Amino acid sequence: MTDAAHLTPTEAFEMLLAGNGRFVGGGPEHPNQDAARRAQTAPAQAPFAVMFGCSDSRLAAEIIFDQGLGDLFVVRTAGHVLGPEVLGSIEYGVSLLGTPLVVVLGHDSCGAVAATREAVAAGATGEGFVRDVIERVTPSVLAANAAGHTDNAHFINEHIRHTVALLMERSRILSGAVAAGRTAVVGLSYRLVDGTAHLVTTRGLDLPTPAAA
């Protein structure tokens, strides 16, 4: 089993990117997906990353990052919107499981972002509890609008940055772990067509990130 407690945030991030590289290149190894791994992880889990992503059916984290049982602690909501249950789940991964990396995973053609852009433009809201999703994505859309953006990629990246900022702002457990160097947070944008994951923002890793256009 990968011992997350002995991985640095940088090493965990490199493992994640290496898995995505195998997936993109058409040579996934499908690690840790056999009976031996099942038996090994039954007593306890030690994932090396918390993956907070969109619920989109095309965004299966273990597949696109070529990981297996016990590797990723996955939390998903439409548009990766935050609520108390999500924050508690992420804090569980960081404080109780000791994961050295938290990932916010967005993607192009995100339906939640598209629906929110339409709602903001029309001055409308969604029906039922979809309204709650739209309300939570709205600050990201308004920020992108205020910056004069029109390209969908800018809206996606703005929402990823906004989610990372909210995590750091609302979770003292997470921000404390990042400040102590035990954990890092990265925001990634996934491209559906070619399968690549691109860095948008980071907290706790000394990595070059694209400037917010």
Side-chain angles (χ1 to χ4, degrees):
M1 184 187 304
T2 300
D3 189 349
H6 293 92
L7 284 178
T8 67
T10 298
E11 289 170 338
F13 185 59
E14 289 173 349
M15 283 182 60
L16 199 70
L17 290 188
N20 181 242
R22 294 191 299 270
F23 171 71
V24 172
E29 297 175 357
H30 306 293
N32 302 327
Q33 297 180 19
D34 55 11
R37 179 65 167 183
R38 185 178 68 231
Q40 185 183 37
T41 56
Q45 61 174 319
F48 72 86
V50 174
M51 182 69 60
F52 175 39
C54 181
S55 297
D56 192 290
S57 61
R58 300 164 291 181
L59 211 67
E62 286 87 353
I63 295 176
I64 66 177
F65 291 106
D66 193 30
Q67 302 300 324
L69 296 173
D71 291 329
L72 303 178
F73 188 78
V74 180
V75 184
R76 299 174 70 179
T77 63
H80 52 82
V81 298
L82 284 172
E85 299 85 354
V86 169
L87 287 166
S89 297
I90 293 172
E91 288 184 348
Y92 181 91
V94 170
S95 62
L96 297 181
L97 300 180
T99 54
L101 184 68
V102 174
V103 179
V104 173
L105 182 63
H107 66 98
D108 55 3
S109 301
C110 178
V113 172
T116 303
R117 290 184 68 181
E118 292 175 3
V120 168
T125 58
E127 297 182 356
F129 287 101
V130 173
R131 176 181 300 179
D132 187 64
V133 174
I134 289 175
E135 287 177 351
R136 297 187 192 203
V137 180
T138 293
S140 302
V141 169
L142 292 177
N145 282 339
H149 294 313
T150 57
D151 186 75
N152 186 58
H154 289 135
F155 284 82
I156 298 297
N157 289 349
E158 179 60 38
H159 186 45
I160 292 169
R161 286 190 289 266
H162 180 70
T163 303
V164 169
L166 279 180
L167 281 175
M168 295 293 292
E169 174 187 324
R170 294 183 180 179
S171 174
R172 286 183 291 179
I173 288 175
L174 179 58
S175 60
V178 171
R182 296 192 305 272
T183 301
V185 182
V186 297
L188 299 178
S189 180
Y190 178 73
R191 294 178 182 172
L192 295 171
V193 172
D194 62 22
T196 55
H198 299 265
L199 186 64
V200 174
T201 187
T202 179
R203 306 292 178 90
L205 288 182
D206 186 17
L207 296 172
T209 56

